[in-house]
Amino acid sequence: MFLEGERIALRPIEEEDLEFLQTQINDPTIWRSIGRSRPLNGEQERDFFDNVVCGDDTVDLLIGVDSTPVGTIGLFEFDWEARTAEIGYWIAPDHHDRGYGTEATERVVQYAFDQLGLHRIAAHVFEFNDPSQRLLEKVGFTKEGVHRDADFVDGEHRDVYWYGLLEDEWRSDGGD
């Protein structure tokens, strides 16, 4: 275990998780919400694991509940000089609406500020993804702007909402 919450446990993604990841990433609920437009085969998932997850440029964690994988969460796009990163996550559709994503996000935000010394965490979400917007706002993120027609999902251009959370905002809201 890397980080624990009340109901969830976060651990590094391992090779034995690849089948779960590939299955879930190809579910329309997931690929649509993260902006993928093409399916991912086993070799592509393996490449992602080898080149991204096993690299030093990201923090990629599996979200588990009672040893059952329910999603992923990670930090990426680090700028160590500015002390910033972006957060991203997804929860398998069978486990939606149970608060697992919120709890995982709270734990990773705490880790990012307390252990990594970050000053700011960014996130982006599609305009149609109301649950993710609510999650970010519940954790304390502020909607900072809109990139109009910035991505192409489901055959049409979609707005992308950008969120940010500063360390001092998080601490003043009781995040410490």
Side-chain angles (χ1 to χ4, degrees), residues 48-114:
F48 174 77
F49 176 76
D50 290 342
N51 297 314
V52 176
V53 173
C54 292
D56 292 331
D57 298 329
T58 64
V59 174
D60 297 287
L61 301 170
L62 189 81
I63 304 168
V65 175
D66 297 325
S67 300
T68 299
V70 301
T72 66
I73 189 164
L75 295 166
F76 54 97
E77 298 292 331
F78 284 94
D79 180 333
W80 292 109
E81 186 175 339
R83 297 179 24 232
T84 64
E86 187 173 338
I87 193 168
Y89 48 80
W90 56 259
I91 301 294
D94 290 346
H95 302 282
H96 281 183
D97 300 321
R98 298 181 190 174
Y100 300 146
T102 301
E103 188 174 343
T105 301
E106 290 169 342
R107 292 297 295 128
V108 169
V109 164
Q110 180 178 12
Y111 166 75
F113 290 140
D114 289 350

Side-chain angles (χ1 to χ4, degrees), residues 15 19 31 44-45 56 66 72 81 83 93 108 112 128 134-136 144 150 162 164 171:
E15 191 169 349
E19 183 178 339
W31 64 255
Q44 292 166 313
E45 188 65 46
D56 292 331
D66 297 325
T72 66
E81 186 175 339
R83 297 179 24 232
V108 169
F128 57 79
R134 284 192 302 274
L135 181 158
L136 291 169
E144 297 177 332
W162 280 90
R171 292 199 189 283

Side-chain angles (χ1 to χ4, degrees), residues 28-36 89-90 125-126 128-129 153:
T29 305
I30 301 299
W31 64 255
R32 183 174 184 263
S33 68
I34 63 172
R36 287 197 58 84
Y89 48 80
W90 56 259
V125 60
F126 292 111
F128 57 79
N129 193 343
V153 180

